[in-house]
Amino acid sequence: MENLEWSPQMSLGITEMDDAHRALVRELTLVMQAPDHEFSARLQGLIGLLEADFREEEALMEEISYANANFHRQHHAQLLSTLHHLVPRALSGDYVLPRGIVHALPQWFLVHLVRMDAPLVNALAAHALQAEQTGKVH
């Protein structure tokens, strides 16, 4: 998949999460299109955005004691580990593997959105409904 564009079908209905994902899609596109002399810096910027997004999601999981938190967290950690290992290669001028991995990220993102983030959003909604029904709003 060469390109990823934000579409309404990607929306999860939580403004902060959707805004973060929109920013990730924009930055991923910039990394994919970056000339070699900008690639390493863009890759590091993408990693920073992902780390911030993942921290937010993981905080939400903790708040509701999300049953699948460990699996979701592992998915985040595996991606970040892979990306962090690419940075030294890119900094040394080896762009083949880093670009190959970056060009696979749109597919990773879509799978993660459907299999990980959508169920998290459903759990957040169920938790909010339960809190509302029992009068326990945090």
Side-chain angles (χ1 to χ4, degrees):
M1 182 177 289
E2 285 298 312
N3 225 351
L4 181 64
E5 291 183 26
W6 183 262
S7 72
Q9 292 85 2
M10 294 172 156
S11 177
L12 295 172
I14 297 178
T15 302
E16 296 83 6
M17 196 177 271
D18 288 340
D19 289 348
H21 289 162
R22 224 180 256 105
L24 286 169
V25 166
R26 272 192 308 272
E27 189 61 29
L28 177 56
T29 299
L30 292 172
V31 174
M32 291 171 69
Q33 296 171 351
D36 287 349
H37 69 276
E38 292 178 11
F39 182 80
S40 298
R42 289 261 180 223
L43 177 60
Q44 291 175 61
L46 177 65
I47 292 169
L49 282 175
L50 285 165
E51 288 172 336
D53 179 56
F54 292 169
R55 273 192 304 275
E56 290 294 319
E57 285 182 15
E58 291 169 11
L60 291 171
M61 288 187 260
E62 291 298 320
E63 253 181 63
I64 65 168
S65 300
Y66 185 52
N68 292 325
N70 285 338
F71 185 65
H72 197 139
R73 219 180 270 111
Q74 274 182 331
H75 211 236
H76 290 166
Q78 288 169 344
L79 177 64
L80 289 174
S81 175
T82 298
L83 294 177
H84 279 289
H85 281 89
L86 296 176
V87 171
R89 290 182 87 130
L91 288 170
S92 72
D94 177 2
Y95 303 109
V96 176
L97 181 62
R99 283 191 181 280
I101 299 293
V102 165
H103 282 274
L105 285 180
Q107 187 64 38
W108 182 95
F109 176 76
L110 293 174
V111 168
H112 186 81
L113 193 69
V114 170
R115 293 192 179 158
M116 301 285 177
D117 290 347
L120 172 58
V121 168
N122 291 337
L124 290 164
H127 180 59
L129 181 61
Q130 182 181 19
E132 184 180 301
Q133 290 172 344
T134 60
K136 296 179 185 176
V137 180
H138 28 310

